[in-house]
Amino acid sequence: MPLGAHLRELRNRVVVVAVAVTVLSVVGWVFYDEVFAVLGRPLAVAAAEAGREDDVTLNIGSVVGVFDLKVRVSVFTGVLLASPVWLWQLWAFITPGLTRREKRYATAFVTASVPLFLGGVALAYTALPRAVTFLVELTPEGIVNLVDTSMYLGFVMRILLAFGIAFLLPVVLVALNVIGVLQARSMLRAWRWVVVVSFAFAAVATPSPEVTAMFFLAVPMTLLFFVAIGISALNDRRRARRDREEGYGGLADEEVSPL
């Protein structure tokens, strides 16, 4: 496919994603209060665990900041709700040259990607109170900690999206294996680096002195990586067997050919 056609296809898919996110952001706007309460809960839990309910509170510094905050939370909700759409568009864009047989993997890709993405978001959300508790406990006694709402929600939304996207890594690896770009043995050779990066990422994303929080996030990421290796190995074996069968078939045709 020419470069121009690729760019037009990318533009069309970006437009589809943008429309889906915009429409579903309206849902986030309507249910803003409920979403805000869910995002603010980790701070409330952390303050209660630290015994600082009266000293730690969210704060908005300007009138305009209220509107900006509502827009950001609404768009964040739209991105989460539109995950099936943009995951499908991603798959369709990176695999335009697949055969009809290989395109059947598209449904499996989206079916696996959406739960993994939302599962990563949910897992990060359950670990957030531990991380926020550690940060809240740094507040000196007698000091009221007026947490900037915009910065706090930005921190929470970045963590949630980061772990949701991180949990998509195994599906991306399997997708690259399906289109023949990456083999299972290549992934296996890099397993040490993947484990180190997974734990480093979890340590940075959960700034808590408790090791359990880091393991709580890093171990599932590592396990999913090895699951991707297993699925890719099965696919490599299936592809090699099909190539051998097609090779033998071609050889037999040549032997019986009068030419």
Side-chain angles (χ1 to χ4, degrees), residues 3 8 11 17 22 25 29 103 106 110-111 114 129 138 141 157 162 168 174 180 191 196 213 217 229 245-246:
L3 177 60
R8 285 192 297 271
R11 180 197 60 193
V17 171
T22 301
S25 294
W29 183 277
K103 286 182 178 179
V110 177
T111 302
V114 174
L138 296 177
E141 290 293 335
M157 291 187 290
L168 291 176
V174 172
W191 74 269
V196 170
L217 294 167
I229 292 178
E245 291 174 354
E246 292 176 355

Side-chain angles (χ1 to χ4, degrees), residues 3 8-9 11 17 26 33 38-39 73 119 125 142-143 147 152 159-160 170 173 179 189 197 199 203 234 249 254:
L3 177 60
R8 285 192 297 271
E9 182 184 7
R11 180 197 60 193
V17 171
V26 175
D33 291 336
V38 171
L39 295 178
V73 171
Y125 183 79
I143 300 297
V147 180
Y152 165 76
I159 293 297
L160 297 181
L173 293 176
I179 64 178
R189 283 197 294 265
V197 171
F199 275 85
L234 292 175
E254 291 180 2

Side-chain angles (χ1 to χ4, degrees), residues 57-93:
T57 183
L58 291 174
N59 176 63
I60 298 178
S62 65
V63 177
V64 180
V66 177
F67 178 79
D68 177 69
L69 195 63
K70 190 167 185 176
V71 171
R72 292 175 61 189
V73 171
S74 300
V75 173
F76 172 76
T77 306
V79 171
L80 292 185
L81 295 178
S83 56
V85 177
W86 54 262
L87 286 170
W88 178 274
Q89 294 299 322
L90 174 64
W91 170 265
F93 178 73

Side-chain angles (χ1 to χ4, degrees), residues 3-242:
L3 177 60
H6 273 296
L7 294 177
R8 285 192 297 271
E9 182 184 7
L10 176 61
R11 180 197 60 193
N12 294 337
R13 298 196 182 281
V14 169
V15 169
V16 171
V17 171
V19 170
V21 171
T22 301
V23 171
L24 292 173
S25 294
V26 175
V27 178
W29 183 277
V30 173
F31 294 96
Y32 168 75
D33 291 336
E34 291 79 1
V35 176
F36 182 87
V38 171
L39 295 178
R41 184 176 177 274
L43 181 63
V45 172
E49 291 181 353
R52 307 295 298 271
E53 299 97 323
D54 298 330
D55 298 337
V56 178
T57 183
L58 291 174
N59 176 63
I60 298 178
S62 65
V63 177
V64 180
V66 177
F67 178 79
D68 177 69
L69 195 63
K70 190 167 185 176
V71 171
R72 292 175 61 189
V73 171
S74 300
V75 173
F76 172 76
T77 306
V79 171
L80 292 185
L81 295 178
S83 56
V85 177
W86 54 262
L87 286 170
W88 178 274
Q89 294 299 322
L90 174 64
W91 170 265
F93 178 73
I94 66 176
T95 58
L98 291 186
T99 63
R100 180 178 301 177
R101 178 191 301 173
E102 291 170 330
K103 286 182 178 179
R104 296 173 185 171
Y105 290 111
T107 302
F109 174 83
V110 177
T111 302
S113 297
V114 174
L116 282 174
F117 174 75
L118 297 179
V121 171
L123 193 59
Y125 183 79
T126 58
L128 269 173
R130 292 178 178 269
V132 178
T133 298
F134 168 69
L135 298 175
V136 167
E137 288 177 345
L138 296 177
T139 304
E141 290 293 335
I143 300 297
V144 177
N145 190 349
L146 299 178
V147 180
D148 184 86
T149 306
S150 179
M151 294 183 64
Y152 165 76
L153 290 183
F155 166 75
V156 171
M157 291 187 290
R158 282 195 300 271
I159 293 297
L160 297 181
L161 289 177
F163 277 94
I165 294 173
F167 270 52
L168 291 176
L169 176 62
V171 184
V172 174
L173 293 176
V174 172
L176 293 176
N177 176 262
V178 168
I179 64 178
V181 174
L182 190 62
Q183 293 185 340
R185 64 168 64 95
S186 300
M187 300 183 212
L188 188 59
R189 283 197 294 265
W191 74 269
R192 294 178 180 85
W193 285 105
V194 172
V195 171
V196 170
V197 171
S198 297
F199 275 85
F201 180 78
V204 172
T206 56
S208 170
E210 299 181 6
V211 180
T212 54
M214 180 180 67
F215 275 88
F216 189 58
L217 294 167
V219 170
M221 293 171 58
T222 305
L223 291 177
L224 287 172
F225 170 73
F226 283 104
V227 169
I229 292 178
I231 296 174
S232 299
L234 292 175
N235 188 58
D236 287 343
R237 185 177 303 175
R238 188 184 307 113
R239 183 187 291 119
R241 184 170 61 251
R242 185 174 68 244

